[in-house]
Amino acid sequence: MSVKQQIIDTLTEVLSPVHLEVINESDNHHVPPNSETHFKVIVASAAFEGKRLIGRHRAVNEALQPQFDAGLHALSMHTFTPDEWEQEAEVPDSPKCRG
């Protein structure tokens, strides 16, 4: 199973999101072709209600610890409550790696 699919399955199970996008951004970095090491996650979940940004990010990091242990290198997170997402939350484009 691809790393992307593992991320989707794990976050779906743990957070029951109303919106979830998992974007492989590995090609923006200096890694071999077809790598799955750098991802962007956009997730809206009621599980984030009442949590500050750090708490939301901790929840995602904890859920994806097995993927990090297996080689996931970088994760850009954009976390929203369902209400925040409905308010047309903006997600910035990721920059290209300069390294």
Side-chain angles (χ1 to χ4, degrees):
M1 178 184 315
S2 72
V3 175
K4 179 178 178 176
Q5 191 60 54
Q6 290 174 22
I7 293 170
I8 291 168
D9 291 351
T10 299
L11 294 181
T12 298
E13 181 181 327
V14 172
L15 299 175
S16 300
V18 296
H19 179 85
L20 176 62
E21 291 177 60
V22 178
I23 303 159
N24 184 349
E25 297 187 327
S26 299
D27 62 341
N28 290 351
H29 302 272
H30 296 288
V31 296
N34 302 315
S35 291
E36 289 190 293
T37 56
H38 297 70
F39 286 88
K40 178 184 211 173
V41 170
I42 304 164
V43 58
S45 171
F48 297 143
E49 296 283 352
K51 289 188 178 179
R52 296 167 129 178
L53 187 60
I54 189 76
R56 297 173 186 192
H57 286 199
R58 282 182 181 146
V60 172
N61 279 327
E62 288 172 8
L64 297 179
Q65 189 60 53
Q67 286 76 22
F68 280 108
D69 291 344
L72 177 60
H73 176 71
L75 185 67
S76 169
M77 288 180 263
H78 302 277
T79 55
F80 304 95
T81 65
D83 286 342
E84 291 167 343
W85 183 250
E86 287 295 318
Q87 297 299 319
E88 298 181 27
E90 290 188 36
V91 177
D93 290 334
S94 298
K96 297 281 187 187
C97 178
R98 297 181 197 204

